[in-house]
């Protein structure tokens, strides 16, 4: 199970995305269950957090050990509109239509559909103007994300190893993959401290606190947990799959003639 989420770019030339109330409006204004039905034919799992629940916690999985406080999967339109009103007051905007947000995605058909569904849901719930821009896969990771050349971007992250840090690091200010250019001193301190904390439970609590802060700040818009499905020849036995890095394990696999 890899994870995909829409990134929010804090450093955007679009000033409204730097407003926390607006970022929360985007999160509460998204019905993730409807999104899954429309964008992925109900195949993926709606997600309202950053860390994939399957990764290791202190003694079992992170998902078993922590229930992350987050945005309701069905969204909350009333609350979203309250956050939007606050943001508009702060930014001196009177009509939601005057707020324009561009979603950048690749030109793959599945990604295009995903961006268009998010566009539709945000337009309906918030009344803002949302546009979609498509670039090639090579460009999105080669220049668009690394150079911060986007407002909101559809991107994902498959974990490199089974620990929450592999996700949380994406929002650490000195991380090369922090495409949002997100900076939060308290999150940085927790993540840095987790590197030297020797008590497993204390360390995991620190990582969980950092995740909570990111969600509370609307640092990203989580969307889905994505599973990959494989068709395997009936003659193959003993094949294993893993959700980190290279996900097929042939070590004990056997092929019956």
């Amino acid at each position: 199970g890899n994870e995909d989420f829409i990134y929010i770019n804090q450093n955007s030339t679009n000033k409204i995305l730097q407003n926390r109330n607006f970022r929360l409006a985007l999160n509460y204004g998204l019905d993730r269950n409807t999104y899954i039905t429309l964008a992925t034919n109900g195949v993926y799992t709606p997600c309202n957090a950053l860390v994939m629940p399957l990764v290791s916690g202190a003694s079992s999985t992170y998902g078993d050990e922590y229930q992350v406080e987050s945005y309701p999967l069905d969204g909350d339109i009333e609350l979203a509109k309250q956050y939007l009103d606050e943001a508009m007051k702060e930014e001196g905007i009177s009509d939601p239509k005057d707020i324009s947000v561009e979603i950048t995605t690749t030109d793959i058909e599945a990604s295009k559909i995903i961006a268009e569904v998010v566009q539709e849901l945000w337009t309906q719930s918030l009344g803002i103007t949302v546009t979609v821009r498509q670039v090639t896969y090579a460009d999105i990771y080669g220049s668009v994300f690394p150079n911060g050349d986007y407002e909101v971007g559809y991107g994902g992250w498959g974990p490199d190893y089974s620990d929450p840090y592999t996700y949380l690091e994406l929002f650490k200010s000195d991380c090369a993959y922090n495409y949002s250019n997100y900076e939060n001193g308290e999150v940085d301190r927790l993540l840095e401290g987790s590197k030297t904390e020797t008590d497993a439970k204390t360390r995991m609590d620190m990582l969980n606190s950092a995740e909570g802060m990111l969600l509370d700040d609307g640092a990203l818009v989580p969307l889905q947990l994505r599973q990959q499905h494989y068709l395997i020849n009936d003659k193959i036995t003993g094949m294993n799959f893993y959700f980190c890095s290279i996900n097929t394990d042939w070590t004990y696999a056997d092929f019956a003639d």
Side-chain angles (χ1 to χ4, degrees):
N2 294 338
E3 178 174 2
D4 286 67
F5 35 83
I6 290 270
Y7 288 104
I8 294 279
N9 181 17
Q10 307 293 342
N11 243 16
S12 175
T13 47
N14 187 341
K15 186 169 176 286
I16 194 77
L17 288 168
Q18 294 169 22
N19 185 302
R20 173 180 176 262
N21 283 318
F22 183 70
R23 298 195 302 266
L24 291 174
L26 291 181
N27 268 300
Y28 283 98
L30 195 62
D31 177 340
R32 288 164 174 83
N33 286 318
T34 298
Y35 160 82
I36 289 292
T37 305
L38 297 176
T40 75
N41 291 326
V43 172
Y44 299 159
T45 306
C47 176
N48 58 0
L50 169 59
V51 177
M52 184 168 74
L54 282 177
V55 299
S56 301
S59 54
S60 70
T61 65
Y62 183 79
D64 281 344
E65 290 174 1
Y66 298 96
Q67 292 303 309
V68 182
E69 286 293 309
S70 185
Y71 331 107
L73 290 176
D74 283 333
D76 184 331
I77 305 290
E78 275 185 39
L79 194 51
K81 286 192 166 150
Q82 285 172 29
Y83 281 120
L84 180 64
D85 286 346
E86 281 303 309
M88 286 168 60
K89 270 185 217 146
E90 288 163 355
E91 303 298 329
I93 298 167
S94 56
D95 187 343
K97 282 196 188 67
D98 292 340
I99 298 172
S100 172
V101 173
E102 181 183 70
I103 303 172
T104 297
T105 182
T106 63
D107 50 10
I108 300 164
E109 189 59 27
S111 299
K112 177 175 179 265
I113 291 165
I114 281 167
E116 287 172 350
V117 169
V118 174
Q119 174 188 39
E120 179 70 14
L121 293 173
W122 275 342
T123 304
Q124 281 177 7
S125 64
L126 302 172
I128 61 175
T129 304
V130 184
T131 56
V132 174
R133 164 192 172 214
Q134 291 176 264
V135 296
T136 65
Y137 187 87
D139 280 349
I140 209 163
Y141 288 105
S143 61
V144 174
F145 282 171
N147 297 338
D149 173 28
Y150 71 102
E151 294 183 357
V152 170
Y154 173 68
W157 190 257
D160 295 313
Y161 46 88
S162 186
D163 186 87
Y165 195 92
T166 187
Y167 284 106
L168 296 165
E169 184 183 29
L170 299 173
F171 293 88
K172 194 165 181 284
S173 62
D174 60 0
C175 175
Y177 298 105
N178 179 0
Y179 296 140
S180 304
N181 297 314
Y182 181 81
E183 260 184 77
N184 183 322
E186 193 51 39
V187 169
D188 280 355
R189 273 191 291 279
L190 284 165
L191 294 182
E192 203 53 49
S194 76
K195 291 179 180 177
T196 52
E197 177 53 59
T198 53
D199 181 76
K201 175 77 170 75
T202 306
R203 176 181 175 274
M204 208 48 65
D205 286 347
M206 291 165 82
L207 296 177
N208 179 243
S209 293
E211 183 182 24
M213 285 175 190
L214 290 169
L215 295 170
D216 187 55
D217 201 23
L220 68 150
V221 180
L223 277 180
Q224 68 210 15
L225 292 166
R226 180 179 50 166
Q227 289 157 318
Q228 291 173 326
H229 298 265
Y230 295 88
L231 284 173
I232 301 175
N233 190 310
D234 288 342
K235 294 178 178 177
I236 294 176
T237 57
M239 186 165 176
N240 287 313
F241 294 92
Y242 192 49
F243 60 78
C244 289
S245 193
I246 297 170
N247 59 356
T248 48
D249 179 2
W250 294 92
T251 311
Y252 301 106
D254 205 17
F255 187 80
D257 286 334

